[in-house]
Amino acid sequence: MAGLSGRVSDPSTRPTPTARGGRVEASAAAHAKVILLGEHAVVHGAPAIALPVHGLTLTASVTRTDRPLWIDSVLYRGPITGAPELLAAPITAIVETLGFVGAPAAGRAVRIDGEIPAERGLGSSAAVAAAIAGAVARSAGVELDAEQRFTLTQAAERVAHGTPSGLDARAVVSETPVWFHAGEARALRSAFGGVFVIADTGLRGRTREAVAAVAALKAAEPARVADVIARIQDHTEAAVADLAADDRASLGRRMSSTHELLRVLTVSSPPLDRLVAAASSAGALGAKLTGGGRGGCVLALAGTAEAAETVAAALRAHGAERTWMLRPGDVAA
């Protein structure tokens, strides 16, 4: 339950040197996430399950300076007044958090470091916002609780995505699998003993486009889309028992079936389908797209560590730009 209590992956605020030779006043971290089941259906009132990806992290650090409010990232380094539109969401996180804690805007530099690739369905925008909110608040001597951090993260997520469900904002600071439904999140019990392989297509996901396409399809064929969403929901709900009992074969079948349902919703793509097929041919128990779709990542389930290495190699051989693994200790709770 640690993640749902608002604690971060690295709560240390001990001053450390920065790349510019200054001293970090405060820092906070968040991690990536993958959606196991329920993407797109969650937008239409169904539940979803997300898994924390502890091996992919992002840290925000705050340094006191004599400059105006400053941001330092791979995209831009300088005063926030000159930042590009691409940084509108993280800047929102900075400004909203400063306003919440009642701290002056000037005299702070916010640095973002991390390895979560953007626009891959891994929660990068939410992780940036959550890390920034935690670090900026700490720099003012305030420790945010879970709801405060969620609210500040969501403010940035609305800038990034329009009408986010809130799943990413919860999952990027959770230490355990997360059940999310109707805006509420809770930790899931898991005895999972397999390995998940995440494969990056190397292509940016197109979440807004995919969400709009599902909405258009629902308007044109309401009964058909309602049936698909209901079937995705059935798999998501049944997967709770699969995780608790470590029924990897059942969970894998649900993943593969859900991918086919997401294809019906038009949110897959040839590169995603190719990787799903490659994973299945290499012995994966199941595979599906994860996140918004039309690019981004595939999530495959392997029964053992050895099988996971075989699946990962096959995914890379079929075009995956990179792969990561979620091992039992990352998922069990």
Side-chain angles (χ1 to χ4, degrees):
M1 297 289 287
L4 297 182
S5 72
R7 293 198 293 269
V8 296
S9 302
D10 179 9
S12 173
T13 58
R14 183 171 63 249
T16 56
T18 70
R20 292 186 300 274
R23 304 289 291 180
V24 172
E25 182 177 75
S27 65
H31 50 68
K33 68 91 180 86
V34 289
I35 298 180
L36 174 59
L37 291 165
E39 54 271 274
H40 286 286
V42 72
V43 178
H44 299 274
I49 297 172
L51 307 175
V53 184
H54 300 297
L56 284 175
T57 61
L58 184 144
T59 301
S61 54
V62 180
T63 305
R64 286 296 179 94
T65 73
D66 56 1
R67 302 170 174 150
L69 187 56
W70 187 275
I71 189 167
D72 189 346
S73 75
V74 295
L75 295 175
Y76 169 81
R77 179 183 177 189
I80 66 166
T81 52
E85 180 63 24
L86 281 173
L87 290 179
I91 287 172
T92 297
I94 296 171
V95 173
E96 291 286 328
T97 305
L98 287 170
F100 177 78
V101 300
R108 282 179 169 83
V110 180
R111 180 182 173 90
I112 304 164
D113 294 289
E115 53 190 2
I116 305 174
E119 296 183 272
R120 297 297 198 276
L122 298 177
S124 63
S125 65
V128 169
I132 286 173
V136 170
R138 282 177 175 168
S139 75
V142 176
E143 194 71 21
L144 300 173
D145 64 29
E147 288 307 309
Q148 291 167 341
R149 198 174 187 198
F150 171 75
T151 298
L152 292 166
T153 301
Q154 276 295 87
E157 282 287 88
R158 280 190 287 273
V159 173
H161 299 300
T163 54
S165 68
L167 173 59
D168 283 14
R170 298 290 189 185
V172 297
V173 292
S174 176
E175 298 302 317
T176 66
V178 173
W179 170 269
F180 184 87
H181 191 207
E184 298 297 322
R186 64 178 172 85
L188 275 186
R189 178 175 169 268
S190 172
F192 182 73
V195 180
F196 287 108
V197 181
I198 306 166
D200 182 4
T201 62
L203 304 172
R204 293 179 182 272
R206 303 200 298 274
T207 302
R208 282 179 182 262
E209 176 186 304
V211 169
V214 174
L217 188 62
K218 183 178 182 181
E221 302 180 63
R224 182 180 181 221
V225 172
D227 177 66
V228 171
I229 290 172
R231 291 164 66 189
I232 292 174
Q233 178 166 345
D234 288 345
H235 284 309
T236 305
E237 291 174 343
V240 174
D242 292 340
L243 284 170
D246 189 23
D247 192 337
R248 298 169 217 173
S250 176
L251 182 59
R253 288 192 296 271
R254 297 190 191 288
M255 291 171 64
S256 294
S257 178
T258 297
H259 181 75
E260 293 306 312
L261 293 168
L262 291 168
R263 289 187 68 197
V264 173
L265 294 180
T266 75
V267 299
S268 191
S269 66
L272 290 167
D273 292 341
R274 181 173 63 249
L275 291 184
V276 167
S280 298
S281 296
L285 299 175
K288 59 180 284 293
L289 68 86
T290 181
R294 298 195 174 186
C297 294
V298 159
L299 182 68
L301 171 57
T304 66
E306 182 180 10
E309 295 290 350
T310 300
V311 170
L315 287 164
R316 291 191 296 271
H318 284 80
E321 188 173 273
R322 50 197 158 178
T323 59
W324 305 275
M325 293 191 189
L326 286 177
R327 302 183 189 279
D330 299 316
V331 180

